């Protein structure tokens, strides 16, 4: 009896398993056509305009300033000002001594007097000869010779006048005068020192107007414009309120690698003093790169693409991968926008247009 009982039990178990398996297969076949594919998604980042504040250092300086030089060489015999002294336009600042300047002027003046005398005499001779020529006493050739001498002396007088003006101007250049009202910022030469022509002697600045020059990389020149307002901060006193500067000059980008280009910013008030270190803020706007998870990028016969999820449906979007940064891929795609959701897990079971369920 026992062998028969075991046989019946085995047959019953086989039938039960077969019935359960059949029911399960039937259930899957019934649910497959309308079932949503379970996927995981991540957001697309970048692609929007972002502001990146940058600060560049500079030194406040006077808008009107000058480094003064003599146009003639000589020994500095007189310096009429001291460091930090305020002067008015036309004030005498310094004087050099050159032993050749005064004699050169006197010689030019004497030469002019001599030529003036000769010219006046030649003019009178021509006038007398003209009257005698009318009477037939003086020939036409003689009269022409006198006229030529007169005209030559007249030209020589003009040349002598120019030489005298040059010599006088050179002598005047031995005196250095203030071109505008201001303050003496620096003295480069001491009395009794030899000064060459064009050598800096002192520096003068006007108390009116302030400006600061900052140097920036070439790519930042496109992010500033003339008359644009920029924030300016004092470095010495961080508690001082932010000042406002106005862009008045922008350099043109050059071809030298690594070269920084100047931007001149005018300061509207007198709060910042010359020589004070400051920082000028420039905030360039740029479009950040569009990035997606590297796992979301797939390659098919149609090319590289991702699955974007919208309204519970997977949509295939073609992308072009530019580079890989860590676990992100920088892509170029016109149809992707920041905030879009792309599938990075479960793509092997997806087709374009499939319904998805996000987990």
């Amino acid at each position: 009896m026992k062998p028969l009982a075991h046989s019946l039990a085995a047959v019953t178990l086989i039938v039960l398993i077969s019935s359960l398996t059949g029911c399960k297969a039937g259930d899957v076949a019934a649910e497959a056509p309308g079932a949503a594919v379970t996927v995981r998604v991540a957001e697309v980042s970048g692609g929007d305009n972002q502001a990146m504040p940058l600060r560049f250092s500079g030194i406040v300086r006077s808008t009107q300033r000058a480094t003064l030089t003599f146009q003639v060489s000589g020994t500095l015999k007189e310096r009429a000002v001291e460091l930090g002294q305020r002067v008015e336009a036309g004030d005498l600042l310094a004087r050099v001594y050159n032993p050749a300047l005064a004699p050169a002027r006197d010689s030019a003046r004497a030469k002019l007097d001599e030529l003036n005398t000769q010219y006046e005499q030649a003019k009178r001779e021509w006038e007398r000869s003209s009257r005698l020529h009318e009477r037939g006493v003086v020939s036409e050739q003689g009269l022409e010779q006198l006229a030529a001498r007169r005209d030559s002396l007249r030209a020589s007088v003009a040349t002598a006048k120019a030489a005298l003006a040059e010599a006088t101007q050179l002598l005047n250049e031995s005196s250095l005068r203030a071109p505008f009202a201001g303050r003496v910022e620096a003295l480069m030469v001491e009395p009794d020192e030899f000064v060459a022509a064009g050598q800096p002697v002192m520096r003068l600045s006007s108390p009116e107007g302030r400006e600061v020059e900052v140097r920036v990389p070439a790519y930042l020149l496109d992010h500033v414009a003339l008359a644009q307002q920029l924030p300016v901060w004092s470095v010495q006193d961080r508690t001082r309120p932010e000042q406002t500067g106005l862009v008045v000059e922008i350099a043109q980008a050059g071809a030298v690698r690594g070269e920084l280009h100047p931007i001149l910013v005018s300061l509207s008030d007198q709060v910042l003093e010359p020589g004070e270190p400051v920082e000028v803020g420039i905030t360039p706007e740029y479009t950040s790169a569009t990035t997606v998870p590297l796992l979301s990028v797939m390659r098919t016969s149609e090319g590289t693409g991702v699955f974007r999820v919208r309204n519970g449906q997977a949509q295939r979007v073609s992308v072009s991968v530019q580079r890989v940064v860590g676990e992100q891929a920088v892509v170029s795609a016109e149809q992707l926008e920041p905030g879009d959701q792309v599938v990075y897990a479960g793509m092997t079971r997806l087709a374009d247009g499939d319904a998805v369920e996000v987990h």
Side-chain angles (χ1 to χ4, degrees):
M1 292 298 293
K2 288 184 179 180
L4 180 60
H6 286 301
S7 299
L8 292 175
V11 172
T12 304
L13 182 59
I14 293 172
V15 172
L16 180 59
I17 293 174
S18 300
S19 63
L20 291 176
T21 305
C23 291
K24 187 63 178 178
D27 293 341
V28 173
E31 294 175 1
V37 180
T38 302
V39 296
R40 293 183 181 274
V41 297
E43 286 191 357
V44 176
S45 62
D48 53 347
N49 291 332
Q50 297 183 0
M52 186 176 180
L54 301 173
R55 292 192 180 195
F56 296 90
S57 60
I59 302 296
V60 177
R61 66 190 187 191
S62 298
T63 302
Q64 188 177 22
R65 61 196 182 280
T67 300
L68 306 180
T69 65
F70 287 102
Q71 298 302 308
V72 295
S73 60
T75 303
L76 187 64
K77 285 299 182 182
E78 180 182 355
R79 194 178 67 188
V81 294
E82 298 296 335
L83 187 64
Q85 180 176 337
R86 292 187 176 273
V87 296
E88 297 297 329
D91 286 354
L92 178 65
L93 303 178
R95 181 180 287 116
V96 295
Y97 171 71
N98 188 319
L101 296 179
R105 180 201 57 183
D106 296 340
S107 175
R109 182 178 292 150
K111 184 65 174 177
L112 176 62
D113 293 340
E114 177 186 358
L115 291 173
N116 271 327
T117 301
Q118 294 179 3
Y119 170 67
E120 294 296 332
Q121 181 182 1
K123 187 167 62 172
R124 289 192 297 269
E125 288 180 358
W126 180 85
E127 291 174 352
R128 286 195 299 269
S129 297
S130 295
R131 290 192 294 270
L132 294 175
H133 175 68
E134 293 175 356
R135 300 176 188 177
V137 177
V138 177
S139 65
E140 184 72 22
Q141 181 180 2
L143 185 63
E144 290 179 353
Q145 290 177 348
L146 291 175
R149 183 172 181 274
R150 178 201 61 189
D151 295 341
S152 176
L153 287 171
R154 182 168 55 191
S156 298
V157 168
T159 302
K161 286 181 179 180
L164 177 60
E166 180 182 4
T168 303
Q169 182 62 32
L170 287 176
L171 183 61
N172 293 337
E173 289 294 336
S174 64
S175 298
L176 189 63
R177 298 186 178 275
F180 53 83
R183 180 173 61 88
V184 178
E185 279 191 350
L187 299 172
M188 291 87 159
V189 180
E190 295 297 326
D192 296 327
E193 288 186 7
F194 179 79
V195 180
Q199 178 183 343
V201 176
M202 64 181 65
R203 192 166 60 243
L204 191 68
S205 65
S206 172
E208 302 296 329
R210 300 284 187 271
E211 66 183 17
V212 58
E213 180 184 287
V214 295
R215 292 183 172 270
V216 303
Y219 79 92
L220 279 180
L221 297 178
D222 295 332
H223 296 272
V224 292
L226 292 176
Q228 179 181 348
Q229 292 185 346
L230 298 178
V232 180
W233 300 275
S234 172
V235 175
Q236 295 178 341
D237 186 2
R238 295 291 184 177
T239 62
R240 185 178 297 180
E242 173 187 306
Q243 306 298 318
T244 300
L246 199 68
V247 178
V248 293
E249 291 183 14
I250 302 174
Q252 184 178 1
V256 180
R257 173 177 292 183
E259 182 181 16
L260 299 178
H261 307 279
I263 294 178
L264 191 61
V265 179
S266 174
L267 304 177
S268 58
D269 51 42
Q270 306 298 323
V271 176
L272 300 172
E273 293 297 326
E276 186 172 351
V278 294
E279 290 179 340
V280 178
I282 299 177
T283 306
E285 289 190 357
Y286 66 98
T287 302
S288 61
T290 302
T291 60
V292 297
L294 186 58
L295 295 176
S296 67
V297 181
M298 59 182 179
R299 182 180 296 276
T300 65
S301 59
E302 300 177 0
T304 308
V306 297
F307 277 115
R308 178 180 59 192
V309 176
R310 280 189 179 177
N311 301 323
Q313 190 178 39
Q315 301 173 354
R316 190 183 185 284
V317 178
S318 297
V319 298
S320 175
V321 179
Q322 299 177 347
R323 64 183 183 276
V324 176
V325 182
E327 297 181 353
Q328 298 288 316
V330 179
V331 299
S332 173
E334 297 180 357
Q335 300 180 10
L336 283 183
E337 298 179 357
D340 282 347
Q341 293 184 331
V342 293
V343 178
Y344 71 89
M347 295 182 297
T348 56
R349 298 173 293 168
L350 276 182
D352 192 17
D354 283 352
V356 296
E357 180 179 352
V358 177
H359 280 271

